[in-house]
Each structure stands twice: as C-alpha cells, then as structure tokens.
Amino acid sequence: MDELDKKILNQLQIGLPIECDPYRKIAVKLGVKSEELLERIKQLSDEGYIRRLGGIFDVNKMGYKPTLVGLHVPEDIFMEVANYVNKCKGVTHNYRRGNYLNMWFTLALSTQKEKDEYIEKLKNKFQLKDVMEFPTLKYFKLRVFFDMESEMNYGSSI
Amino acid sequence: MDQVSKNLIREIQGNLPICENPYKELGNKLGIGEEEVIQRLTELKKEGCLKRIAAILRHNESGYSANALVVFKTDNILIEKLGKILAKSSIVSHCYERKSNEKWPYNLYAMTHAKDINETIEFINDFVTIHGIQEYEILNSQEELKKASMIYY
C-alpha cells in the first residue's frame, strides 16, 4: 500500500458523490486518472482492505431499534452460543471481550417485542443467567473513520 | 417507500459496481435510468435513511488492531459533557449513553480503535484522571465472532 492508496481509502471512507461520474471527481481531487483510481480500488478490495463499498444506512431511520447485548457464556458452550447468535439476521457485530460479560453483540430487530423474545429464547436455550440488554439512551457519536494517512496514533481532545 | 427504492437499497446494501458509471450500472440492473438512480439516492439521503455511499475498511488489515469497548460510570449531569469530549477524539468511533443496571452500573460507552492498545490505555487513563471517573472498564475485542452489514431487503 502506497501513499496514494492511503489517500484513496480515506476519500472513499468520506464518501462517493451521488452524481454522474463519481469516481472521476475523486480522481481529479487526488490528481490521478479515473482508470488508475478504479484499478486501485479493485485491488484494495481484492486484497481485503475494503470490506464493502456501498450504501451506509441509518439503522434507526430504516425502522429498526438497535441495541447492545452483553452476556456471560461458559467457555464449554462459547462457540455453540456464538454460532447461534451469529445466525440471527439482526446481529451484525459479535465479539468476545475480556470481562465476566464475555460476549457482546449488536441486535437490530423491528420491534421491542421481537427483541425481548429473542433474548428470552437465547437465555432459555443455553440456560444463561447473565444476559443484559443495554439500549441506547443518547448518541454522542457514530462515525467510523480509520485514518490511513495520519502518522499520529490518535487525536487528542481531553 | 416503493418497490424500486427497496430494490435499489437491496443493491447498495452490498457493493456498488466499481466502474466509471456505477449509478448507470445500478439503473441497468433495476430497469431505470441513471438520473432516476441519482434522484432516488438523493431522496433517501435527504430522508436520513442513507447516510452516504462509502467504503468500510477491515480495521485489522488497515493497521487498527487494538479495538476496545470502554464503559464508564458517570452521573446524569456530567455525562453530556463527557460524551461530547469523547466524541471529539479520533480514537473514538462510537459514543453512546446506554441504560445501566445494578449489576452493570456503566452508562457511558465508547468504542475505540487504535494501532496499539497502549495508546488506548494512555488515552483512557488521562481521561479518567482529568475527569475524576472512578468506575470504568476496558473491554478488549479478543475475538471477532461476526462482522457483517445489515441486510435490509
């Protein structure tokens, strides 16, 4: 990955214009030809740096009520529970974390009722005692941006 | 929302064609013109359903392999101020107030991404010291079990 690739990844994270010739507009901005830009994007995608290049949606405005679930899963059934949770369409992120609550997943379903039912089903199926839901009360920030160009390791704003 | 827009969402919830005229290409798939695709996407953006058309990176491959959910306990008065301060930092991608309970008293959540976990620890140490936060936890991402985009249609 060279400097131009990093610039490309940053620009693509910011967004593609919703107008004719969107890639050319970015190519002009970066001082390269469209063909080269498209070639590099294909390569960055093939190499696995770009997970997806498409529509980023507001899950709330799309009619879902996202929440966060944190639970304690005994080690002997950990992967079994993970596989079960992963199958749910409303689960987009699921991680093992270092804490007593060792599995955390996001859950976006259409209604509170569906959410409650899913969590109840999960608890009962695996006899889990500590399954907690942490609904959002307020958003302060939702902006994922992995700065590829910056030499700094993080911003400072204490 | 009509069926055409739903079909459009179905297309772009995945990958946009990587070609010179991606919106024209989308239009071909849906049986509508490029202009209409652009119009519909603009409308979806105005409504707030669509935030942007953009790339999502694989953070580990991109060098950001230190990812941690950090949770803090703070009061209702301070949370507003602290949430805003966390939001300003580029190490924080998500920052929310969430419901707490007796067993889990933390109400301020920040998702952090850095190149090295020590940077995160340093940032959090400074933050809690300056703001007098007594109770907090750093929950490292130890294993990615699932990472996918939402399928709407």
Side-chain angles (χ1 to χ4, degrees):
Chain A
M1 189 184 302
D2 62 15
E3 289 313 306
L4 177 58
D5 287 325
K6 293 177 183 177
K7 285 190 161 77
I8 290 172
L9 289 176
N10 274 6
Q11 275 306 308
L12 290 180
Q13 287 184 91
I14 291 168
L16 205 66
I18 300 176
E19 29 186 281
C20 294
D21 257 335
Y23 290 113
R24 187 151 68 86
K25 297 202 157 72
I26 294 186
V28 165
K29 198 169 183 182
L30 297 176
V32 294
K33 292 205 167 103
S34 295
E35 294 82 20
E36 187 180 1
L37 175 65
L38 289 171
E39 210 41 62
R40 281 176 180 258
I41 293 174
K42 281 191 192 118
Q43 185 145 10
L44 289 165
S45 202
D46 289 341
E47 285 169 359
Y49 294 105
I50 297 175
R51 184 156 68 80
R52 190 171 71 87
L53 207 184
I56 314 284
F57 299 91
D58 183 321
V59 65
N60 288 285
K61 293 248 159 66
M62 290 298 286
Y64 292 84
K65 299 178 185 351
T67 193
L68 182 66
V69 181
L71 58 155
H72 171 74
V73 185
E75 201 51 48
D76 60 342
I77 55 166
F78 193 89
M79 280 325 290
E80 201 187 331
V81 176
N83 290 331
Y84 178 82
V85 167
N86 289 350
K87 280 207 196 78
C88 177
K89 235 183 79 172
V91 172
T92 52
H93 294 56
N94 188 12
Y95 284 86
R96 180 199 283 270
R97 295 193 181 284
N99 187 274
Y100 173 70
L101 298 181
N102 55 358
M103 187 183 293
W104 290 75
F105 62 89
T106 56
L107 180 66
L109 297 171
S110 308
T111 62
Q112 184 65 50
K113 183 162 173 274
E114 274 179 75
K115 255 195 294 167
D116 292 341
E117 281 172 4
Y118 180 80
I119 291 173
E120 222 22 66
K121 202 166 156 205
L122 176 65
K123 265 185 174 150
N124 294 331
K125 184 175 170 75
F126 298 102
Q127 319 257 286
L128 301 170
K129 295 199 193 83
D130 292 303
V131 181
M132 299 184 195
E133 195 204 333
F134 306 107
T136 306
L137 297 179
K138 184 160 190 172
Y139 286 88
F140 292 107
K141 181 177 190 177
L142 170 46
R143 185 171 190 262
V144 180
F145 181 76
F146 296 107
D147 192 341
M148 301 305 293
E149 291 179 84
S150 175
E151 280 309 317
M152 279 178 62
N153 294 316
Y154 68 83
S156 67
S157 59
I158 303 290
Chain B
M1 199 184 292
D2 66 13
Q3 193 57 47
V4 178
S5 281
K6 286 182 185 171
N7 292 342
L8 179 56
I9 291 172
R10 188 182 292 122
E11 287 298 325
I12 63 169
Q13 70 194 359
N15 283 284
L16 211 72
I18 302 176
C19 59
E20 212 175 303
N21 297 301
Y23 303 123
K24 184 158 177 234
E25 196 58 43
L26 280 173
N28 289 341
K29 283 190 185 171
L30 300 168
I32 56 177
E34 182 183 25
E35 228 175 84
E36 190 178 343
V37 172
I38 291 173
Q39 210 180 331
R40 284 177 181 269
L41 290 176
T42 306
E43 194 57 46
L44 287 169
K45 199 162 179 206
K46 236 193 273 179
E47 287 165 10
C49 295
L50 177 68
K51 291 200 277 195
R52 61 187 179 280
I53 307 261
I56 300 179
L57 305 191
R58 287 204 170 87
H59 46 69
N60 284 330
E61 283 78 347
S62 306
Y64 286 81
S65 55
N67 307 291
L69 177 64
V70 190
V71 299
F72 310 89
K73 179 180 174 211
T74 185
D75 63 51
N76 289 329
I77 312 219
L78 270 178
I79 195 166
E80 190 74 35
K81 174 180 158 195
L82 296 180
K84 288 188 176 138
I85 291 172
L86 286 171
K88 276 207 220 113
S89 170
S90 60
I91 205 178
V92 173
S93 59
H94 300 63
C95 186
Y96 303 154
E97 178 186 359
R98 292 188 181 276
K99 193 158 163 228
S100 58
N101 59 54
E102 315 86 51
K103 276 186 174 178
W104 189 261
Y106 311 100
N107 56 348
L108 181 59
Y109 286 59
M111 188 62 214
T112 63
H113 303 280
K115 295 174 183 171
D116 185 311
I117 195 67
N118 293 315
E119 297 152 29
T120 310
I121 293 171
E122 199 183 319
F123 172 78
I124 299 299
N125 281 342
D126 288 347
F127 181 76
V128 298
T129 304
I130 289 171
H131 301 289
I133 297 170
Q134 310 274 341
E135 291 178 68
Y136 68 98
E137 296 273 357
I138 300 180
L139 312 172
N140 296 343
S141 302
Q142 289 178 337
E143 194 186 341
E144 184 174 281
L145 304 168
K146 181 177 183 181
K147 180 77 161 289
S149 290
M150 192 71 186
I151 308 288
Y152 294 100
Y153 293 110

